[in-house]
Amino acid sequence: MKKILSVALCLAVLFTTVACSSSRQAKLNAAFNKVYSNYSDLLTLAGAKAYTVKKGDSLTNIAKEFYGADYGYYFPVILLASKETISDPDLIQPGMKLTIPNLQANLESTAIRSKLKLYFRDIANIYYDKTGDEAVKTRKELQAISESL
């Protein structure tokens, strides 16, 4: 009888954890999608490149590859250009096709740059709902970029 109760309790905890995790992820996806829709026409895609995600990739590493070692946290530019493919930047999968905008061209436009400032701030704010040290670091980096633009 004790075994049955123990198994039932474990299953209840497991289902609750999965349900909470799914609900939290749905909330995060909705928050990202709302920000993307607010800035949907922001970027110029002239000179954009295509990239297919490989196993082991992260958006930070992809941004570093295309924009330079000091620009890994500019990944939200890739997110916005690839909004139809990806919602949460932490959930990229091999095979996803991303659009990599020309970062310099977008930063050189005064109009785009001023809106990117707000976009980075809004993306950083979503990271308040994410947990863990990496989320805190990402939020701080995105806030710093927003303030520097």
Side-chain angles (χ1 to χ4, degrees):
M1 184 67 166
K2 286 183 181 180
K3 283 184 181 181
I4 293 173
L5 286 175
S6 294
V7 169
L9 182 60
C10 287
L11 287 174
V13 169
L14 176 66
F15 289 133
T16 301
T17 303
V18 169
C20 289
S21 177
S22 296
S23 175
R24 184 171 31 139
Q25 188 59 53
K27 181 181 174 188
L28 285 169
N29 287 349
F32 279 116
N33 288 329
K34 181 178 180 184
V35 171
Y36 302 151
S37 70
N38 289 341
Y39 298 96
S40 63
D41 297 328
L42 172 62
L43 299 172
T44 178
L45 296 179
K49 297 179 180 170
Y51 180 79
T52 302
V53 176
K54 297 180 287 239
K55 184 177 180 178
D57 275 345
S58 71
L59 281 178
T60 305
N61 287 339
I62 295 168
K64 286 178 183 179
E65 180 181 331
F66 284 91
Y67 300 149
D70 295 336
Y71 293 90
Y73 285 95
Y74 280 78
F75 70 83
V77 175
I78 299 169
L79 278 175
L80 187 57
S82 304
K83 65 186 176 293
E84 301 301 323
T85 305
I86 186 168
S87 185
D88 187 328
D90 295 327
L91 299 178
I92 65 171
Q93 300 291 324
M96 287 180 163
K97 304 223 184 288
L98 305 179
T99 300
I100 314 293
N102 181 321
L103 179 63
Q104 200 59 39
N106 282 284
L107 293 177
E108 286 173 356
S109 165
T110 306
I112 293 174
R113 187 181 182 103
S114 66
K115 290 180 184 174
L116 278 173
K117 177 182 185 84
L118 301 174
Y119 170 66
F120 270 85
R121 180 204 62 204
D122 290 350
I123 292 293
N125 286 338
I126 294 172
Y127 277 83
Y128 280 106
D129 291 333
K130 288 183 164 271
T131 57
D133 293 341
E134 191 61 35
V136 171
K137 179 181 179 187
T138 299
R139 182 181 73 241
K140 288 179 180 179
E141 292 289 340
L142 296 176
Q143 288 170 331
I145 291 169
S146 174
E147 292 168 8
S148 73
L149 292 175

